[in-house]
Amino acid sequence: MNDTILVTGGAGFIGANFVLDWIREIGTSVVNLDKLTYAGNLKTLASLASDSRHIFVQGDIGDPALLAELFSSHKPRAIVNFAAESHVDRSIHGPRDFIKTNITGTFELLESVRTYFNNLDAPEKESFRFLHVSTDEVYGSLKKDDPAFLETNPYEPNSPYSASKAASDHLVRAYHHTYGLPVLTTNCSNNYGPYQFPEKLIPLMIVNAISGKPLPIYGDGKQIRDWLYVCDHCSAIRRVLESGRLGETYNIGGWNEKPNIEIVHTICDLLDEIRPKADGISYRSLITTVIDRPGHDRRYAIDAGKIERELGWRPEETFETGIRKTVSWYLDHQAWVADVQSGAYRDWVEKNYSGRTI
């Protein structure tokens, strides 16, 4: 075994940011396994194209033969599992892919990791880790005055997406308690930042605004989320991987609870400042209310006190600094945005938002 790690889903938004962050901050080799579905984008990793420390493999976490080959060839000291279908709206329209990837795929990955782990010698077993990246959505929805989610909150998932992630979390826990697999689980709040696929709220609002398109807001826009800058999330995962207690769950949040409508207003105001419209009218004029999605959770909030107490981690970015960096990044990388806006993406946006106008 060497210092190589295996990252699954490492061409997606959070996974790719993690790979870039790892190469920059740690410097050891990464085997990056990604199926390259609609949200996977190798251009995000273009800066690593000639870097021998980044080994990209296109493939599925549900392919035991491929996993066995990767483990045998690269002997990773850790697995960081980002691979997942991860968009609530897509899970409502088509839940099957979420069950296949998030539940069955995680099972196949765990089985392959268990075989690999059992064949390691004692010192290698001592240092090996399997870190599973999950979401705060497994905890369900909070009322306005409820305390934020703790790691001890019961699971109450409300969408096919969150239910499939809850199932994967339970499998990871079971493989620790039943087979002794050295696992760690992280549950994060809403991520935002560079390279996010423009179907999620923040990049969709930025991209639509600079294109002069409507900014669709579900219902009254008062759904509250905790917002975490993706680079902070990456540093937290590295910290958990380094020093987290085996079998434990760590909530990772940004301490930034805000309603969606406030997020959109902030984006519009930043664009008014950085790139004002030629007609002088605020981007807020593009905001359009659409019918809410089924089962839309009202509030998520993460209490990230455990990771701070045990591991000394806190986010570096405030929402104000992180959102400014994010808006500027999208303005400066419109070629990347244009590349990911394929016909399939445009079809998806039309499918999800058409006919919803109130």
Side-chain angles (χ1 to χ4, degrees), residues 37-113:
T37 58
Y38 74 95
N41 185 0
L42 282 180
K43 288 198 173 182
T44 301
L45 299 160
S47 64
L48 301 178
S50 59
D51 194 323
S52 62
R53 295 171 296 176
H54 180 237
I55 301 129
F56 179 77
V57 178
Q58 184 174 356
D60 193 336
I61 60 170
D63 184 343
L66 174 59
L67 290 169
E69 178 185 339
L70 292 178
F71 293 149
S72 175
S73 299
H74 299 284
K75 297 180 172 53
R77 68 172 180 87
I79 316 294
V80 183
N81 181 35
F82 292 97
E85 294 285 345
S86 64
H87 192 240
V88 173
D89 289 323
R90 285 181 182 268
S91 80
I92 292 169
H93 288 294
R96 187 178 304 277
D97 287 343
F98 289 74
I99 304 305
K100 182 178 180 181
T101 297
N102 298 355
I103 302 178
T104 305
T106 300
F107 162 73
E108 295 290 359
L109 178 60
L110 284 166
E111 277 289 275
S112 296
V113 172

Side-chain angles (χ1 to χ4, degrees), residues 5-321:
I5 66 169
L6 172 65
V7 174
T8 68
F13 165 48
I14 304 174
N17 272 284
F18 179 81
V19 169
L20 292 167
D21 178 81
W22 184 272
I23 296 291
R24 181 175 59 251
E25 299 293 333
I26 305 300
T28 58
S29 295
V30 175
V31 178
N32 183 350
L33 176 64
D34 196 291
K35 194 175 179 180
L36 290 184
T37 58
Y38 74 95
N41 185 0
L42 282 180
K43 288 198 173 182
T44 301
L45 299 160
S47 64
L48 301 178
S50 59
D51 194 323
S52 62
R53 295 171 296 176
H54 180 237
I55 301 129
F56 179 77
V57 178
Q58 184 174 356
D60 193 336
I61 60 170
D63 184 343
L66 174 59
L67 290 169
E69 178 185 339
L70 292 178
F71 293 149
S72 175
S73 299
H74 299 284
K75 297 180 172 53
R77 68 172 180 87
I79 316 294
V80 183
N81 181 35
F82 292 97
E85 294 285 345
S86 64
H87 192 240
V88 173
D89 289 323
R90 285 181 182 268
S91 80
I92 292 169
H93 288 294
R96 187 178 304 277
D97 287 343
F98 289 74
I99 304 305
K100 182 178 180 181
T101 297
N102 298 355
I103 302 178
T104 305
T106 300
F107 162 73
E108 295 290 359
L109 178 60
L110 284 166
E111 277 289 275
S112 296
V113 172
R114 180 164 71 97
T115 299
Y116 173 64
F117 177 74
N118 286 341
N119 289 319
L120 297 176
D121 60 29
E124 291 171 335
K125 284 183 177 178
E126 185 69 24
S127 62
F128 182 79
R129 298 290 184 270
F130 179 93
L131 192 151
H132 176 65
V133 180
S134 191
T135 172
D136 59 357
E137 296 191 36
V138 297
Y139 299 123
S141 184
L142 293 170
K143 296 177 182 177
K144 183 178 179 181
D145 297 323
D146 286 345
F149 296 131
L150 294 167
E151 290 82 356
T152 52
N153 272 60
Y155 275 28
E156 296 180 346
N158 291 322
S159 71
Y161 161 60
S162 57
S164 67
K165 286 298 290 183
S168 70
D169 293 5
H170 290 319
L171 283 170
V172 170
R173 174 185 168 85
Y175 271 64
H176 173 67
H177 287 276
T178 302
Y179 302 115
L181 202 65
V183 308
L184 300 154
T185 297
T186 58
N187 293 84
C188 69
S189 58
N190 279 34
N191 278 222
Y192 69 100
Y195 301 111
Q196 189 169 26
F197 195 74
E199 66 181 0
K200 298 297 180 80
L201 177 68
I202 287 176
L204 180 64
M205 295 301 111
I206 299 169
V207 170
N208 275 17
I210 60 180
S211 301
K213 296 178 180 178
L215 308 182
I217 305 298
Y218 285 135
D220 61 9
K222 293 182 180 179
Q223 303 87 356
I224 295 172
R225 302 292 183 262
D226 174 66
W227 294 92
L228 174 67
Y229 190 63
V230 67
C231 295
D232 281 329
H233 188 193
C234 293
S235 71
I237 292 171
R238 285 194 284 108
R239 186 73 186 111
V240 172
L241 188 63
E242 177 185 32
S243 300
R245 288 188 291 131
L246 294 185
E248 290 293 313
T249 295
Y250 292 90
N251 283 348
I252 304 173
W255 301 103
N256 287 308
E257 276 191 70
K258 293 184 183 296
N260 287 346
I261 190 64
E262 182 179 331
I263 299 297
V264 178
H265 285 164
T266 299
I267 291 169
C268 289
D269 294 347
L270 281 170
L271 288 170
D272 288 341
E273 172 195 336
I274 299 169
R275 186 166 297 182
K277 290 171 63 181
D279 59 12
I281 299 173
S282 172
Y283 287 95
R284 290 194 186 201
S285 64
L286 297 173
I287 294 173
T288 303
T289 299
V290 298
I291 296 171
D292 209 348
R293 72 184 180 203
H296 199 171
D297 289 338
R298 196 64 175 169
R299 173 176 169 246
Y300 306 143
I302 281 280
D303 185 324
K306 179 179 176 179
I307 190 174
E308 181 175 0
R309 291 190 304 273
E310 292 192 9
L311 306 180
W313 179 88
R314 274 191 69 89
E316 292 186 6
E317 302 290 344
T318 64
F319 184 75
E320 289 70 28
T321 61

